[in-house]
Amino acid sequence: DAGVIQSPRHEVTEMGQEVTLRCKPISGHNSLFWYRQTMMRGLELLIYFNNNVPIDDSGMPEDRFSAKMPNASFSTLKIQPSEPRDSAVYFCASRRGTSGPTDTQYFGPGTRLTVL
Amino acid sequence: AQSVTQPDIHITVSEGASLELRCNYSYGATPYLFWYVQSPGQGLQLLLKYFSGDTLVQGIKGFEAEFKRSQSSFNLRKPSVHWSDAAEYFCAVGPYGGSQGNLIFGKGTKLSVKP
């Protein structure tokens, strides 16, 4: 299996621009997670989906952030407008099961976002 | 509130020496516990996990961890460190019996290995 695929791997943009991060989970996995990693705050869960339905988006920092999962094989995280404080590494992870954390979460390689 | 503390931000050990990375958690019930490793420029990879049963858990790459309920700890150990173990290590907790399954991560411990 190819693992979790994220694109782009690196993104540099200017403040105010729209940024879209993409994730393809492992085939057959039913849960998908978006995390943000910064030096100050560590690894934070932004939102997660079970069977393409958002379950908990309490970690989404503000309305500038939105996430969608139109089908089982694709998800996007959008930031509009972007700000310098959004600079971070964004990880996508997927998991086979939807109930409880017993199944392993598999992480993608991350997207390093820099907002100038 | 649920939390995970990794007291050591950075540890340096010599190759061949033993290693122990500390993890303490605060949780209202028996949690699920995990250790992940992140190599530079990579995503996180699961090393091992504890759900129940034997409190000493074996993982990949020769790592093990011991759950100590009385100390609310889940320390990661390796008897002999290899240069390739240099990475950042994250401890995480998850809700026992919950249907949500989201994890809370510590801030990580960066491991450097001296030749």
Side-chain angles (χ1 to χ4, degrees), chain A residues 9 33 35 37 40-43 45 48 50 56 91 95 98-105 107-109, chain B residues 32 34 36 38 41-44 46 49 51 88 90 94-95 97-103 105-107:
Chain A
R9 293 293 309 275
F33 304 79
Y35 291 89
Q37 185 180 41
M40 289 297 295
R41 301 175 66 89
L43 196 64
L45 177 68
Y48 78 96
N50 280 352
D56 183 358
F91 288 102
R95 185 186 71 194
T98 60
S99 178
T102 54
D103 287 337
T104 300
Q105 289 188 28
F107 283 74
Chain B
Y32 292 141
F34 306 80
Y36 281 82
Q38 184 181 24
Q42 302 296 315
L44 280 70
L46 182 68
K49 56 189 176 183
F51 295 152
E88 191 153 18
F90 294 89
S99 62
Q100 298 172 353
N102 42 312
L103 301 180
F105 285 85
K107 293 208 171 169

